[in-house]
Amino acid sequence: MEKGDIDKRIIEYVTYLIDNKEYKSEAEYLRLLGLPLAKLSDAKKGKAGFRAYDIGLILINDNRLNSQWVMTGQGSMFISIDSSNLSYFINKCHQLEKEKAELLLQVGELIGRIKEIKKRVPEEGSATCAIASGSDLEK
């Protein structure tokens, strides 16, 4: 695993993003990551390439990118999703949607209860107040 090879794969990845119109330009992509605009051109020229921190930012920013491919060149550029993983996430999504619907119903019920309680609270002018000691009542 040569450092220059990692830089070449990252350059290939960024080129893919631009060619597929995921970003308008290399500069836009680098700005999004907070990397210097010269980072990619320096790597292309074989000057200062991507540091471990930079590679981490790139991998964190796109969970489709295969870290094994970036580091070793093995496998494909993007992680393939097998059907068993996909079905798990689809089921989890359905479960969360059901929980969300139940919670929204509970929120609605609570809002209704709060409105009912507010109706029963007397107006301030006619309320009976007690001093902190509880001994004196005034109207």
Side-chain angles (χ1 to χ4, degrees):
M1 170 178 73
E2 287 230 5
K3 178 69 177 97
D5 293 337
I6 294 172
D7 290 343
K8 287 176 189 172
R9 285 188 287 276
I10 291 175
I11 293 165
E12 181 182 344
Y13 164 70
V14 174
T15 302
Y16 172 90
L17 294 177
I18 306 307
D19 290 348
N20 287 281
K21 312 248 184 279
E22 292 190 37
Y23 297 92
K24 292 178 184 175
S25 65
E26 294 173 354
E28 177 189 19
Y29 178 73
L30 292 169
R31 269 194 298 273
L32 172 82
L33 295 177
L35 295 175
L37 298 181
K39 178 63 78 173
L40 205 57
S41 61
D42 286 349
K44 287 177 182 178
K45 294 174 188 171
K47 293 182 180 178
F50 293 93
R51 297 172 297 136
Y53 176 80
D54 305 332
I55 296 167
L57 278 177
I58 292 166
L59 290 169
I60 288 169
N61 188 55
D62 189 348
N63 57 7
R64 304 170 303 165
L65 184 58
N66 184 349
S67 60
Q68 183 179 6
W69 175 80
V70 171
M71 300 307 290
T72 67
Q74 296 176 351
S76 61
M77 182 186 299
F78 294 105
I79 297 172
S80 61
I81 299 173
D82 63 29
S83 60
S84 63
N85 282 347
L86 188 58
S87 64
Y88 166 79
F89 289 112
I90 289 171
N91 289 337
K92 189 68 173 171
C93 184
H94 290 306
Q95 176 188 353
L96 291 171
E97 286 292 332
K98 287 178 185 177
E99 288 178 26
K100 175 185 161 189
E102 291 172 10
L103 289 170
L104 287 173
L105 284 173
Q106 290 175 4
V107 166
E109 291 172 5
L110 290 172
I111 289 172
R113 288 175 59 191
I114 289 170
K115 287 179 181 177
E116 288 300 315
I117 291 170
K118 283 183 176 180
K119 287 179 186 176
R120 289 185 264 157
V121 174
E123 291 293 321
E124 187 176 327
S126 63
T128 304
C129 302
I131 295 180
S133 68
S135 61
D136 297 315
L137 293 177
E138 61 180 80
K139 197 127 176 130

